[in-house]
Amino acid sequence: MGTQRNGFSKRETFILSVDVGTTSIRCHVYDKSARIRGSCSTKVSLLYPQPGWVEIDPEDLWKGFVTVVKGAVQDSGLQMCQMESLGISTQRATFITWDRNTGEPFHNFITWQDLRAAELVRSWNRSCTMKTVHGVMKMLHFLTRQKRFLAASLVVFTTQHVSLRLVWALNNIPQLRQAVEDDSCYFGTIDTWLLYKLTKGLVHATDYSNASATAIFDSYQMCWSGFLCSLLSIPLSILPSVQNTSHKFATCDPSIFGVPIPVMSVMADQQAAMFGECCFDIGDVKITMGTGTFMDINTGNKPHTSVAGLYPLVGWKIGADIVYLAEGNAAGTGAAIKWAQDLELFSDVKETEAIATSVEDADGVYFVPSFSGLQAPLNDPKACASFMGLKPSTNKRHLVRAILESIAFRNKQLFDIMLRETRIPITKIRADGGVCTNNFIMQLTADLLGRKIERPSHFDMSCLGAAFVAGLGTGYWRNQEELKKLLTTDQHFLPRRSKADWDKGGPYRGALQSWERALQRSMHWYSQP
């Protein structure tokens, strides 16, 4: 029995968690066993005002956020006053700027997919300034052997980074420039904007996981990069304070949900998914297969310095403990499957597994999933998507199988570079995201990696991760060991051949090599105008 207060028994409490993704906003109510008691979701409406521009209306996003929180609590049959805390997970590197006095945005959210800064990226990466920076940093690394200088000597800008998209905004939006001069401008990623709205303008903050994904944060020094901001003329005064991932960021203004709910965690989505998968130990790997693939490895309390394009991120900071991740990503995972569906290669995504297994192989056909170029380790934004090896005997089933195989081949490529670069022994591999429901891709990935891969019972790991961190912050859950016991696994995928068999030339070794040749043929396809 609960304790008695004024004749009423103590109410059972729950954790609210919201994930603001690229295509949807989802909210779940979790109980002590990490079971979902109520849910609500809504779509994120992407705006395309010009070719290559991808935006989100900030007021639409805010209204969607409030709607899913209220909807999830209503769906659970519980009351808002039973919500002990709120955790928030968000897509990374999507940002906005606004007037700190009025709260009025100067523009829509400029998303991580937006290409308006492509020309800036090209010119900066080719500039004498960057060549000088790289040379100086190489010299500093040689003299000091400090890895942060090696990392700086390898820096190249991309459109996915906040840095040059923010420079574009500062150069092209007069009201924003004026607000910077008047010291009345705030910058923030989605989490920062939500905290500002939830507190009616009282809080301007982010966490280390989100800050580290902006490319204007120094993950070695754990602060905004004064050097990069100075180089790009980004004023430090507009940036939010950076807090621990598990932290009482704010209390929601009672007028929003009827009660003051504390916000106890703010996390970037891939790092939140890593936490939700309980990848707490060095060598734990998470593969999220959604619109794109994100492969992350826990590198412990030191950031990884990559020469092949793996990105060092802060996973989370809880108390004094910092966990770093190294991340490789591949665009065009779920996007390639959706494209094939739009071409009517199949009508329902669930059919693809049966279609792929209905043929013995892909008939020598290889698909290169590079609608957005190729990321690590090839790092070629000019690569094209392509089918290679087409012949008169090729049919739709071969094409579908080639697309699914390409996703597993890309997983193998990312995994190999991760092993080679980090030299960390792999302890476990967990997979999540919508594409991981495809058993063909999962089994082939396990075969290629030569490792067991665990698939969870439900796939909304970003939401669960933010909930876990929020719950740890209030004592709802005691520690990470308790969280591990709550984790459920739907299926284990075991490799069907040993590594020794693979080294001797297993059935997919030749296919993988041919696919890698297809990648090379697709590179540098789009010449620069």
Side-chain angles (χ1 to χ4, degrees), residues 18-21 23-27 40-42 44 61 64-65 68:
V18 184
D19 177 49
V20 182
T23 57
S24 67
I25 308 173
R26 298 176 307 284
C27 180
C40 185
S41 67
T42 187
V44 171
L61 188 102
F65 182 92
V68 297

Side-chain angles (χ1 to χ4, degrees), residues 102-169:
T102 66
E104 283 299 308
F106 296 119
H107 52 85
N108 286 334
F109 278 106
I110 300 174
T111 75
W112 62 273
Q113 300 159 295
D114 190 284
L115 300 175
R116 73 187 68 194
E119 192 48 54
L120 264 178
V121 167
R122 274 193 290 271
S123 60
W124 266 98
N125 285 339
R126 290 174 177 173
S127 68
C128 293
T129 304
M130 284 306 286
K131 285 173 185 160
T132 304
V133 167
H134 287 165
V136 169
M137 292 302 166
K138 278 177 189 166
M139 180 62 72
L140 285 170
H141 175 247
F142 176 75
L143 294 172
T144 67
R145 310 317 292 174
Q146 286 186 34
K147 284 193 171 181
R148 68 192 185 95
F149 293 125
L150 176 60
S153 76
L154 299 166
V155 162
V156 289
F157 293 111
T158 78
T159 55
Q160 288 187 2
H161 294 158
V162 163
S163 47
L164 288 178
R165 281 182 286 124
L166 178 54
V167 169
W168 183 96

Side-chain angles (χ1 to χ4, degrees), residues 248-462:
K248 188 173 180 181
F249 284 86
T251 300
C252 300
D253 190 280
S255 66
I256 299 168
F257 301 121
V259 290
I261 304 170
V263 181
M264 293 302 295
S265 77
V266 161
M267 291 189 90
D269 54 3
Q270 295 306 319
Q271 291 96 311
M274 190 83 170
F275 204 93
E277 292 278 27
C278 295
C279 292
F280 303 138
D281 302 317
I282 295 174
D284 285 354
V285 172
K286 173 219 46 113
I287 308 172
T288 298
M289 290 180 277
T291 307
T293 293
F294 292 87
M295 189 177 292
D296 297 85
I297 182 170
N298 183 324
T299 61
N301 60 6
K302 292 187 175 65
H304 169 70
T305 305
S306 174
V307 294
L310 296 182
Y311 200 78
L313 292 166
V314 178
W316 49 85
K317 184 169 184 281
I318 298 176
D321 296 330
I322 307 171
V323 169
Y324 289 95
L325 313 178
E327 181 175 278
N329 80 293
T333 304
I337 295 173
K338 178 72 169 65
W339 170 77
Q341 186 178 20
D342 292 343
L343 281 187
E344 298 183 358
L345 291 181
F346 52 85
S347 55
D348 188 340
V349 173
K350 292 174 183 171
E351 300 169 8
T352 56
E353 187 184 322
I355 292 169
T357 52
S358 70
V359 287
E360 194 175 328
D361 54 39
D363 194 35
V365 175
Y366 299 96
F367 179 66
V368 179
S370 51
F371 292 111
S372 306
L374 289 168
Q375 293 75 41
L378 298 172
N379 301 309
D380 178 19
K382 297 180 194 173
C384 68
S386 61
F387 276 113
M388 294 200 189
L390 297 171
K391 50 187 81 69
S393 57
T394 303
N395 60 42
K396 278 186 179 183
R397 292 175 298 168
H398 295 126
L399 299 181
V400 171
R401 183 169 177 129
I403 290 169
L404 300 193
E405 284 181 353
S406 75
I407 293 168
F409 290 161
R410 196 74 179 86
N411 288 342
K412 166 72 172 165
Q413 194 177 43
L414 283 174
F415 187 74
D416 283 354
I417 195 68
M418 196 167 270
L419 278 183
R420 194 159 62 243
E421 277 225 330
T422 64
R423 297 181 181 175
I424 295 173
I426 305 301
T427 45
K428 73 177 177 193
I429 304 174
R430 302 272 300 178
D432 60 72
V435 176
C436 85
T437 57
N438 188 296
N439 289 342
F440 177 85
I441 294 172
M442 289 294 294
Q443 185 58 60
L444 180 52
T445 300
D447 292 344
L448 293 171
L449 272 49
R451 310 270 182 162
K452 178 176 81 170
I453 302 177
E454 300 171 9
R455 181 170 68 191
S457 299
H458 71 95
F459 311 118
D460 212 345
M461 285 294 147
S462 296

Side-chain angles (χ1 to χ4, degrees), residues 496-507 509:
R496 290 174 294 197
R497 287 175 177 268
S498 68
K499 190 174 184 304
D501 288 340
W502 172 264
D503 292 339
K504 287 175 192 167
R509 192 171 182 187

